[in-house]
């Protein structure tokens, strides 16, 4: 499986980082790190512009992060009309910032910047796959 | 190298649906910009056409517009940084003149957003983020700014009411601007009671798509003094970028591109935030105006709300901002917006701003942002 099944709607599929989706299938949300200069990347990327090299490795985003900010989107763009409302968010995992969605099981009154979250793969309708933040 | 001045400014009426062609829309702005100038179209050495291409039906609009304004056979080309396209055009035009390649350049911004159905517009909106990593989650422009708003609230205690007060001000001045799309004064309650689009932003925290065009004519100092007795000098130019991805942002309480562009512009102009008599900032959302106060140094980080509560950004306040109604009232025809902001400041510095005139204004600032803070231009102008 690759990026054609990533997220609610995928717009393009080709990237050298397509193993990200294979890792999601195995239950892992991954980032990459440059083996030469140690820079971490999320979204993951296989090229490091800092030292202009492509010697990178995958690592798993584990443990608890902190919710930086969120918004409940009531009007989705094309392809997301039926999906709204949904909650977009950014969370920080030891300096690695991840953009994604908060679990739909959370009410807005349960959400607060600064709260602890973990990030996990999430099965989406139609055999698609993504990831989401869950409150810890 | 000679200095560069703005000699002519114009904009069309901004509206939800203009009912004319893009050439005709640009002609309306061009006519106002050329008014009273001692030049003709054959004196314009080059034209820079600015818009966001995803909203264009016409392929390569520079060719069409340069023909309609009869600027052929002079060079014409297209510049794009989404919502900040026309202030990027000004930067490019400035450097063409400064380099000695041209003497007079027209910077023309336009957008005819009504050419798209609302479904087509929503489809483009879905591709505004990184299309591999962030668009598949359903990110939109308002959602990006809403995440900044939520982070600002969490860090500084900013309230929805304080954001709404920015719209109260801008709607007050929008009512006086006959070229604005929305000319109705809104009360605090009307704004706070409007439906939530993407929390915490409500309908009236957001600007609207519009049709419109703007035109800025710039010239080298010798020519400028000959063709007008009111040249307005470009004394500071700053430009910067930030990541396309939201996850790449180091801060979510201010726009780094605006902070950096502001720093460059102040340094080049040899002035500071306290010297600015009147400003136009990119209020695509109320939170965007608040962050601009802080990013430009009009207030310390987290203290922009003090300017809001004390009404210091009204015409008779210490730091008048968006006293033409801002994007929130004028509407936001993407490629035309920067030129419209520049026009407002030029009219202020010429002393020709009518009932919104800031008395004695000598130095003005324009803050024009592309995307959710992907591109930032800050321009400082002087009488």
């Amino acid at each position: 499986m690759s990026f054609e099944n990533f997220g609610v709607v995928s717009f393009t599929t080709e990237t050298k980082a397509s193993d990200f989706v294979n890792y999601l299938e195995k239950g892992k949300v991954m980032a990459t790190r440059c083996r030469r200069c140690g820079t971490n990347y999320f979204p993951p990327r296989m090229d490091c512009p800092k030292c202009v090299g492509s010697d990178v490795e995958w690592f798993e985003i584990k443990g608890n992060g902190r919710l930086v900010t969120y918004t409940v989107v009531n009007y989705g763009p094309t392809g997301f009309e039926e999906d709204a409302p949904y909650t977009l968010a950014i969370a920080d995992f030891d300096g690695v910032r991840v953009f994604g969605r908060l679990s739909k099981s959370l009410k807005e009154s349960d959400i607060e910047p600064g709260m602890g979250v973990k990030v996990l793969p999430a099965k989406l309708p139609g055999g698609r796959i993504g990831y989401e933040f869950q409150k810890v | 190298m000679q200095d560069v001045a703005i000699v002519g400014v114009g904009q069309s009426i901004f509206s939800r649906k203009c009912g004319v062609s893009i050439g005709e829309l640009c002609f309306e702005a061009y006519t106002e910009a050329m008014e009273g100038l001692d030049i003709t179209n054959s004196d314009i050495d080059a034209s820079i056409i600015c818009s966001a291409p995803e909203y264009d039906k016409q392929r390569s609009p520079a060719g069409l517009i340069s023909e309609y304004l009869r600027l052929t056979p002079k060079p014409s080309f297209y510049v794009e940084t989404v919502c900040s396209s026309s202030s990027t055009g000004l930067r490019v035009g400035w450097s063409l003149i400064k380099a000695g390649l041209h003497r007079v350049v027209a910077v023309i911004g336009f957008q005819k957003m009504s050419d798209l159905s609302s479904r087509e517009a929503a489809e483009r909106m879905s591709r505004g983020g990184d299309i591999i990593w962030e668009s598949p989650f359903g990110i939109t422009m308002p959602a990006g700014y809403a995440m900044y708003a939520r982070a600002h609230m969490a860090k500084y205690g900013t309230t929805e009411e304080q954001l709404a007060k920015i719209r109260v001000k801008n709607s007050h001045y929008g009512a006086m601007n006959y070229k604005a799309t929305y000319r109705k004064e809104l009360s605090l309650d009307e704004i706070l009671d409007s439906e939530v689009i993407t929390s915490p932003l409500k309908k009236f925290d957001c600007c609207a798509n519009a049709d419109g065009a703007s035109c800025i004519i710039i010239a080298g100092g010798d020519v400028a003094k000959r063709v007008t007795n009111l040249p307005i000098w470009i004394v500071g130019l700053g430009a910067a970028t930030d990541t396309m991805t939201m996850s790449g942002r180091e801060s979510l309480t201010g726009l780094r591109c605006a902070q950096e562009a502001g720093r460059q512009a102040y340094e080049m102009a040899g002035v500071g935030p306290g010297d600015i008599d009147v400003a136009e900032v990119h209020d695509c959302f109320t939170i965007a105006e608040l962050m601009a106060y802080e990013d430009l140094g009009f207030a310390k980080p987290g203290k922009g709300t003090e300017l809001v509560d004390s009404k210091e950004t009204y015409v008779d306040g210490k730091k008048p901002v968006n006293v033409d109604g801002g994007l929130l009232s004028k509407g936001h025809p993407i490629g035309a917006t920067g030129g419209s902001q520049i026009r407002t400041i030029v009219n202020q510095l010429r002393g020709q701003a009518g009932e919104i005139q800031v008395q004695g204004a000598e130095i003005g600032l324009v803050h024009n942002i592309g995307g959710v803070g992907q591109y930032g231009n800050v321009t400082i102008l002087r009488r």
Side-chain angles (χ1 to χ4, degrees):
Chain A
M1 191 184 271
S2 185
F3 265 79
E4 59 268 25
N5 291 312
F6 178 64
V8 177
V9 178
S10 44
F11 297 84
T12 183
T13 57
E14 292 177 352
T15 163
K16 292 196 283 181
S18 60
D19 272 346
F20 181 78
V21 178
N22 299 328
Y23 282 114
L24 285 181
E25 287 289 318
K26 294 175 194 157
K28 295 177 177 180
V29 179
M30 305 289 277
T32 56
R33 178 182 295 128
C34 177
R35 284 198 187 95
R36 288 212 300 222
C37 70
T39 306
N40 295 330
Y41 290 106
F42 195 93
R45 47 190 296 165
M46 309 314 284
D47 303 310
C48 176
K50 198 167 170 189
C51 65
V52 197
S54 300
D55 185 13
V56 303
E57 62 188 356
W58 291 95
F59 70 95
E60 189 178 359
I61 301 172
K62 286 189 286 202
N64 293 345
R66 181 182 59 84
L67 185 73
V68 178
T69 189
Y70 75 94
T71 179
V72 179
V73 179
N74 287 327
Y75 293 92
T78 303
F80 295 85
E81 300 91 338
E82 302 304 311
D83 197 24
Y86 51 84
T87 305
L88 300 175
I90 297 169
D92 190 295
F93 294 84
D94 282 334
V96 177
R97 288 209 165 175
V98 179
F99 168 84
R101 280 196 186 183
L102 270 164
S103 166
K104 282 203 175 193
S105 64
L106 286 170
K107 294 195 298 272
E108 187 161 9
S109 55
D110 296 330
I111 306 168
E112 197 179 1
M115 75 185 194
V117 290
K118 55 188 175 177
V119 61
L120 293 168
K123 298 273 183 203
L124 303 174
R128 306 183 65 83
I129 193 161
Y131 58 84
E132 66 180 22
F133 303 118
Q134 292 177 2
K135 191 173 180 172
V136 292
Chain B
M1 288 198 295
Q2 58 179 339
D3 291 336
V4 180
I6 296 173
V7 296
V9 289
Q11 77 163 77
S12 70
I13 300 269
F14 285 5
S15 65
R16 290 291 278 173
K17 187 161 176 55
C18 64
V20 299
S21 73
I22 57 171
E24 291 159 350
L25 197 57
C26 291
F27 193 81
E28 190 185 334
Y30 177 68
T31 304
E32 189 187 71
M34 290 289 277
E35 215 172 83
L37 284 188
D38 193 18
I39 54 171
T40 65
N41 58 327
S42 60
D43 295 310
I44 295 173
D45 299 319
S47 56
I48 301 172
I49 311 300
C50 316
S51 87
E54 72 271 22
Y55 291 98
D56 293 336
K57 287 274 176 178
Q58 175 68 49
R59 186 177 175 206
S60 199
L64 183 122
I65 288 163
S66 60
E67 177 186 348
Y68 199 78
L69 306 184
R70 209 169 177 177
L71 299 174
T72 50
K74 304 290 181 59
S76 181
F77 56 89
Y78 191 88
V79 164
E80 186 265 335
T81 55
V82 234
C83 324
S84 60
S85 294
S86 41
S87 56
T88 299
L90 186 80
R91 180 181 176 89
V92 174
W94 179 91
S95 51
L96 291 173
I97 292 172
K98 205 75 176 169
L101 198 59
H102 298 307
R103 293 175 311 160
V104 181
V105 173
V107 179
I108 298 158
F110 80 93
Q111 214 76 62
K112 189 181 175 194
M113 301 176 80
S114 68
D115 262 348
L116 300 182
S117 67
S118 54
R119 186 174 170 80
E120 285 174 315
E123 191 278 329
R124 274 133 187 93
M125 191 161 76
S126 68
R127 292 186 285 120
D130 179 319
I131 59 166
I132 296 181
W133 295 101
E134 298 198 344
S135 293
F137 290 93
I139 192 163
T140 64
M141 287 275 303
Y145 271 101
M147 288 194 286
Y148 274 94
R150 180 60 70 196
H152 202 279
M153 289 171 165
K155 184 169 181 184
Y156 299 118
T158 304
T159 65
E160 293 181 30
E161 185 172 321
Q162 285 168 321
L163 293 182
K165 284 179 181 174
I166 290 171
R167 182 67 193 259
V168 170
K169 170 178 71 73
N170 294 0
S171 76
H172 172 71
Y173 291 115
M176 301 177 193
N177 184 348
Y178 79 98
K179 293 199 173 186
T181 299
Y182 294 104
R183 302 196 56 203
K184 182 179 176 293
E185 273 208 67
L186 295 169
S187 70
L188 193 62
D189 286 343
E190 279 176 288
I191 298 161
L192 288 171
D193 292 343
S194 63
E195 63 178 325
V196 177
I197 303 295
T198 176
S199 72
L201 299 179
K202 295 173 252 347
K203 179 183 169 188
F204 288 135
D205 285 303
C206 307
C207 72
N209 291 353
D211 293 348
S214 61
C215 177
I216 309 296
I217 296 172
I218 59 177
D222 296 346
V223 180
K225 287 178 200 160
R226 196 171 73 236
V227 303
T228 176
N229 53 12
L230 286 168
I232 298 299
W233 302 94
I234 300 170
V235 294
L237 287 165
T241 53
D242 204 344
T243 59
M244 191 79 180
T245 57
M246 295 299 292
S247 58
R249 304 298 171 92
E250 284 175 15
S251 163
L252 285 152
T253 53
L255 299 182
R256 195 172 60 167
C257 68
Q259 294 159 6
E260 172 58 19
R263 189 194 62 71
Q264 293 170 16
Y266 287 133
E267 185 179 312
M268 180 173 163
V271 302
D275 299 311
I276 303 302
D277 297 313
V278 58
E280 281 284 297
V281 306
H282 195 90
D283 60 327
C284 45
F285 301 93
T286 50
I287 181 62
E289 179 164 326
L290 181 67
M291 290 195 295
Y293 297 168
E294 299 171 6
D295 293 336
L296 295 167
F298 299 165
K300 290 195 166 62
K303 301 289 186 188
T305 47
E306 290 178 5
L307 287 176
V308 175
D309 290 331
S310 61
K311 294 193 164 189
E312 292 291 1
T313 50
Y314 279 69
V315 164
D316 49 4
K318 273 194 304 213
K319 193 66 73 185
V321 176
N322 288 344
V323 294
D324 63 353
L327 283 61
L328 287 167
S329 303
K330 290 188 292 184
H332 183 24
I334 300 176
T337 284
S340 168
Q341 295 177 298
I342 292 162
R343 169 183 173 272
T344 293
I345 294 300
V346 166
N347 284 335
Q348 285 280 354
L349 301 180
R350 283 171 167 175
Q352 296 176 342
E355 59 184 325
I356 58 161
Q357 181 66 47
V358 174
Q359 292 309 315
E362 283 187 18
I363 302 176
L365 180 148
V366 176
H367 157 282
N368 186 200
I369 302 296
V372 186
Q374 273 92 21
Y375 311 96
N377 293 323
V378 174
T379 309
I380 298 176
L381 305 176
R382 189 163 203 157
R383 190 158 74 188

